[in-house]
Structures are given as C-alpha cells and as structure tokens.
Amino acid sequence: MKKSTDADLAMSKSAVKISLDLLSNPLCEQDQDFLNMVTALDTAMKRMDAFNQEKVNQIQKTVIEPLKKFGSVFPSLNMAVKRREQALQDYRRLQAKVEKYEEKEKTGPVLAKLHQAREELRPVREDFEAKNKQLLDEMPRFYNSRLDYFQPSFESLIRAQVGYYSEMQKIFGDLTQQLDQPGHPDELRERENEARLSELRALSIVADD
C-alpha cells in the first residue's frame, strides 16, 4: 500500500512538472492558442495532484496506519506462544522427573525425592495450564477479529479510490471539452502529424547522409 501511494504521488508530481515545463517553453510565447491549451493542462494537473494528495492522506490515515498498529500486536502474540512453549518444556521435564521416581523402589530417600519433585511440579503445571488456557481462549478471538478490524480500512480504501477517480473523470472531462476540436478525430490528427513529419524529414538539415 505504501509503494502504491508513493507511486501515485510520483505520477501526479511528474504530471505537474510536465505542464510547468511546457509553460516555460518558448512555444507558449509564440502561440496564444497553444498557451491556452497548456494553461488548461497545467490547471488540470494541479487539480489532479491536489486530489491525489488528499486521497493518499486518507489512505495513510485509514489504511496504512491502522494496519501498522495491527501488525504491532504480533511480537506480543509470538512472545505469549514462546512463553507457553517454555512452560510446556519445564512441565514435561519435571513430569519426567516425577515419573522416574514413581518407577523406582519406594525407599525412604526415593519417597522424599518423589515428594520434592511433585512439589516442584505443581506450580510449574499450574503455570503451564494457565498459559495454555489463555492461548486456547484468546487465540481464536484474535484470529476471528481480523476481518472486523480490516474491513473498515478496506471500505475506506475503496471510498478513497472512488472519490479520486470520480474527480479525475470531471477534471479530464473538463479538459477534453477545452482542448477538443469537433470534427477532428484522432485518425485525422495522426495523418496530419505524419504529413508534417514527412515535411521535416525532407529538409536538407535533417536529411540522411
């Protein structure tokens, strides 16, 4: 999303730069009609850039930033899983110790060690069970909340795009009306340009050696 908004901004800034470069071209000083066309283009490009910036700001606020905040919970989530895994290893280690003493002959020293091992196991088991229960209870809630969290951002993204392109339709529609020459289709323009190019190529200063 960040790459997309950066590309959008670069596009509109480049369009404005092109129109500004055209305005500074000497041709605009020589031909009033051409100056009027370039001025209309420049106005349209600046309007486009302004709406584009507004769209990018909205996406930054309602899509990129919320998703960054959502992503920030994962380190804590991963840490909770690691703590649970560590508690499980401690539990298994002490459980194995208890089972080892349970399998031995029940002598006085063995019973004493068995009792001690069980005492060590109890808080470790309780700690593991608490951490395990917490993950079993909360992980599904976290998993199921993803769509609820993301959907408003998604809807905002669509609204931002729809608003922007609706404005672009108006801007370029207005520009087309200002620049379009009735009865002058693209095919005719292309033939005229080819004819002009042929005339230029016929000049001795550009003729092939």
Side-chain angles (χ1 to χ4, degrees):
M1 197 71 255
K2 184 67 168 62
K3 288 181 179 180
S4 175
T5 54
D6 287 345
D8 284 348
L9 286 176
M11 178 275 298
S12 62
K13 297 299 181 187
S14 295
V16 171
K17 179 66 166 56
I18 290 172
S19 64
L20 288 174
D21 287 348
L22 286 172
L23 278 175
S24 64
N25 192 291
L27 287 175
C28 286
E29 300 177 3
Q30 302 169 15
D31 190 312
Q32 183 62 44
D33 289 339
F34 184 64
L35 174 60
N36 293 340
M37 293 172 65
V38 174
T39 301
L41 174 67
D42 183 60
T43 300
M45 294 305 96
K46 288 176 178 175
R47 288 175 63 195
M48 178 184 72
D49 185 48
F51 281 113
N52 194 31
Q53 184 64 63
E54 183 178 326
K55 177 196 70 176
V56 168
N57 290 342
Q58 182 178 347
I59 291 174
Q60 177 70 32
K61 183 178 180 180
T62 61
V63 181
I64 295 176
E65 291 179 6
L67 290 182
K68 280 185 177 179
K69 292 177 181 178
F70 184 72
S72 68
V73 307
F74 284 95
S76 299
L77 182 65
N78 292 335
M79 188 58 64
V81 173
K82 289 180 179 178
R83 286 195 295 265
R84 184 262 186 196
E85 290 302 312
Q86 183 60 52
L88 176 59
Q89 292 179 21
D90 295 340
Y91 173 46
R92 286 175 172 171
R93 176 175 54 81
L94 291 175
Q95 181 65 36
K97 185 177 179 181
V98 169
E99 291 173 356
K100 181 182 72 172
Y101 287 126
E102 286 177 341
E103 293 172 357
K104 289 186 176 182
E105 184 180 354
K106 300 301 187 289
T107 63
V110 170
L111 290 173
K113 291 179 179 179
L114 175 60
H115 176 74
Q116 182 181 355
R118 285 173 174 170
E119 289 300 311
E120 293 176 0
L121 175 63
R122 184 178 298 108
V124 173
R125 180 179 62 238
E126 291 173 354
D127 180 58
F128 164 72
E129 290 175 347
K131 287 183 170 61
N132 190 56
K133 184 178 184 302
Q134 181 184 38
L135 284 180
L136 290 175
D137 289 343
E138 296 183 2
M139 188 69 80
R141 290 164 53 192
F142 174 82
Y143 186 83
N144 293 330
S145 69
R146 295 172 305 155
L147 180 59
D148 291 338
Y149 185 88
F150 177 68
Q151 187 165 340
S153 292
F154 179 73
E155 292 173 353
S156 178
L157 172 63
I158 298 302
R159 285 195 297 270
Q161 298 283 11
V162 169
Y164 172 74
Y165 286 109
S166 296
E167 291 297 335
M168 292 308 98
Q169 184 179 19
K170 295 177 185 176
I171 290 172
F172 285 97
D174 292 344
L175 181 62
T176 299
Q177 290 181 358
Q178 294 179 64
L179 303 184
D180 200 20
Q181 299 177 18
H184 213 70
D186 291 339
E187 294 80 3
L188 179 58
R189 297 174 197 269
E190 185 175 347
R191 289 196 299 271
E192 291 176 348
N193 279 344
E194 286 295 332
R196 293 188 185 101
L197 184 59
S198 296
E199 293 175 1
L200 292 174
R201 286 173 174 162
L203 296 175
S204 59
I205 58 175
V206 296
D208 295 335
D209 294 336

